[in-house]
Amino acid sequence: MDKFFKLRENKTNVRTEILAGLTTFLSMAYVLFVNPTMLHTTGMDLKSVFVATVLASVVGSLLMGLIANYPIGLAPGMGLNAFFAFTVCAQWGIPWQTALSGVLVSGLVFICLTISGIREKVINAIPAELKYAVGAGIGFFIAFLGLKNAGIIVANESTIVALGNLHSAPVLLAVFGIVITVIYMTINLKGAIFFGMATTAIVGMLIGQIEVPHQIVSAVPSVAPTFGQAIIHLGDIFTPQMLIVILTFFFIDFFDTAGTLVAVANQAGFVKDNKVPRAGRSLFSDSAATVVGAIFGTSTTTSYVESTAGVAVGGRTGLTAVVVAICFSLSLFFSPLLGVITSAVTTPALVIVGILMIGNVAHIDWSKFEVAVPAFFVILMMILTFSIATGIAIGFIFYPITMVLKGRYKEVHPIMYVMMALFILYFIFVV
């Protein structure tokens, strides 16, 4: 195992990797409940989508661990499933079966681009400053996501966002979780994030805010209602509207995955000479998981930014991802136990990881305005638009512009000019 995953080379061990895998799984376990519920609004069978979600996550995480040797867990993407359910199916009236076909095609296109090396070249063409900005932006984004899900931050008509109800027991539980995890981190407790989540869950059960599971094992539901529908309805995708759907899946998944990969690689210290090692393998894993997920019956599968929680615990190799896959597979049989993983439990992990990730801003040369502008917009717009992909798009449009105006156009990779043009077209015709 040490030789296959290169544990010593990455200065880690089996115990650390297992702890990291458990932490990553717990941080992203909410997808097991949120994804089926969201896709169920389209008319898809709830239990079938649950099984499809698990299987897509298992396959994707296994591929990421065994092929790419990265500590990244995969599962159906939250922003992508929202687009699938509420835009493609609800607003545009496209049947969920046809929408799944669109997901399948986008995954196949990704595989082709990955095998050709185009996706890896694109990621390596991104300047270091923007990679650091992406990492910092995702840090702010997931911290905001955690605070929002826990009700600590809420919507407000006057100020857009505001402080939530601190007299609410679920909110207080999340606040307790953040405080106890901060204490664990400050005293350098090994696995502080994981133990912070565990402590929060236990306290939640003791005070009655988290239901104590009455059942441990349950039967595995059938995936038959959704299995294969993406293949059966491939003939329905040849319309201008479906072309837009596929392109949107393509854009969002491409840059969500790229952003997550860059963020995790930076945090783990993998990036050398502004290049992400084994990027092609990790991108192939992501693409293959999307294809498998679509066939089983779920929206686009992508790399999860919550993987940074496992990296923060010490995960450095694919063994972390394999542990994530094992945990997902066990969830098929022990789904009642996952009920204790509420937003109050995951919020401390997301907030602490956000704190750790924003350290990337220290590597950005803010004294150079041509660099500061795109980096600033990457970070700010991720939060304000609640979209990693949108933040990347806006920042990447500004980068070539400011660099050219500064006379540094030769330092801009040609791919960045192409990406700027594509993003502009994306905002004109798609958004």
Side-chain angles (χ1 to χ4, degrees):
M1 188 175 292
D2 176 72
K3 184 177 181 180
F4 183 86
F5 291 107
K6 300 180 181 180
L7 299 178
R8 293 182 183 177
E9 181 179 326
N10 286 282
K11 299 178 181 179
T12 185
N13 53 58
V14 173
R15 180 183 178 279
T16 299
E17 295 293 301
I18 291 176
L19 187 61
L22 288 170
T23 302
T24 295
F25 170 72
L26 290 174
S27 296
M28 58 191 291
Y30 63 87
V31 71
L32 291 169
F33 301 99
V34 178
N35 191 58
T37 302
M38 191 173 295
L39 297 189
H40 181 56
T41 62
T42 68
M44 300 177 72
D45 182 78
L46 182 68
K47 293 183 178 180
S48 181
V49 177
F50 169 76
V51 177
T53 300
V54 172
L55 295 178
S57 303
V58 169
V59 172
S61 299
L62 274 179
L63 290 175
M64 184 65 74
L66 299 177
I67 296 178
N69 198 27
Y70 266 105
I72 299 176
L74 283 81
M78 296 308 296
L80 287 155
N81 58 12
F83 174 72
F84 182 104
F86 303 123
T87 301
V88 177
C89 295
Q91 293 182 14
W92 295 351
I94 296 175
W96 62 263
Q97 296 91 335
T98 305
L100 282 179
S101 297
V103 174
L104 175 60
V105 171
S106 69
L108 292 173
V109 172
F110 272 137
I111 290 178
C112 294
L113 292 179
T114 300
I115 293 176
S116 66
I118 294 176
R119 285 183 85 184
E120 186 170 0
K121 289 180 181 178
V122 170
I123 290 180
N124 288 330
I126 300 172
E129 293 89 349
L130 292 190
K131 287 179 178 176
Y132 288 125
V134 168
I138 291 177
F140 281 111
F141 177 85
I142 63 173
F144 179 70
L145 176 66
L147 294 172
K148 170 185 172 294
N149 289 343
I152 297 175
I153 297 296
V154 297
N156 183 283
E157 290 186 3
S158 300
T159 59
I160 301 178
V161 293
L163 188 64
N165 180 12
L166 295 183
H167 298 286
S168 167
V171 173
L172 287 174
L173 178 61
V175 172
F176 165 80
I178 294 172
V179 172
I180 196 66
T181 307
V182 166
I183 292 173
Y184 289 161
M185 290 289 295
T186 304
I187 64 175
N188 296 319
L189 176 66
K190 188 70 173 179
I193 296 176
F194 173 78
F195 289 115
M197 294 172 67
T199 302
T200 306
I202 293 171
V203 170
M205 286 185 283
L206 290 175
I207 64 175
Q209 284 304 306
I210 296 178
E211 185 178 353
V212 178
H214 301 291
Q215 184 181 1
I216 297 178
V217 180
S218 62
V220 179
S222 171
V223 75
T226 58
F227 180 76
Q229 293 297 317
I231 298 175
I232 295 173
H233 292 268
L234 275 173
D236 300 332
I237 67 170
F238 300 102
T239 66
Q241 192 177 44
M242 278 306 298
L243 177 60
I244 295 176
V245 170
I246 294 171
L247 286 174
T248 304
F249 282 142
F250 180 89
F251 272 104
I252 297 176
D253 186 32
F254 189 110
F255 289 99
D256 269 0
T257 300
T260 298
L261 178 61
V262 169
V264 173
N266 266 321
Q267 186 180 357
F270 294 148
V271 178
K272 305 296 181 182
D273 300 321
N274 195 36
K275 292 185 177 181
V276 179
R278 306 183 304 283
R281 295 183 182 184
S282 59
L283 293 172
F284 173 80
S285 303
D286 181 276
S287 306
T290 291
V291 171
V292 171
I295 293 173
F296 281 122
T298 186
S299 53
T300 307
T301 303
T302 187
S303 301
Y304 256 58
V305 72
E306 283 87 349
S307 301
T308 50
V311 173
V313 170
R316 291 295 182 274
T317 74
L319 181 55
T320 293
V322 171
V323 172
V324 172
I326 293 172
C327 290
F328 268 114
S329 63
L330 291 176
S331 69
L332 281 172
F333 307 97
F334 298 94
S335 57
L337 294 178
L338 295 175
V340 303
I341 310 302
T342 66
S343 58
V345 176
T346 59
T347 291
L350 298 179
V351 170
I352 298 301
V353 170
I355 293 172
L356 297 175
M357 290 184 66
I358 63 173
N360 283 301
V361 298
H363 304 292
I364 300 172
D365 190 350
W366 296 101
S367 64
K368 296 180 179 179
F369 193 72
E370 66 273 21
V371 172
V373 169
F376 172 79
F377 277 112
V378 166
I379 296 171
L380 181 68
M381 297 310 291
M382 275 191 194
I383 306 168
L384 296 185
T385 66
F386 208 67
S387 168
I388 294 174
T390 300
I392 291 174
I394 295 174
F396 282 29
I397 288 174
F398 270 104
Y399 182 78
I401 295 173
T402 55
M403 292 293 283
V404 168
L405 291 174
K406 195 66 177 180
R408 298 175 61 184
Y409 59 90
K410 291 184 179 179
E411 299 177 39
V412 181
H413 196 286
I415 289 178
M416 292 299 295
Y417 291 111
V418 174
M419 290 170 64
M420 178 187 71
L422 290 175
F423 277 132
I424 291 175
L425 292 174
Y426 172 75
F427 282 120
I428 293 174
F429 296 107
V430 179
V431 175

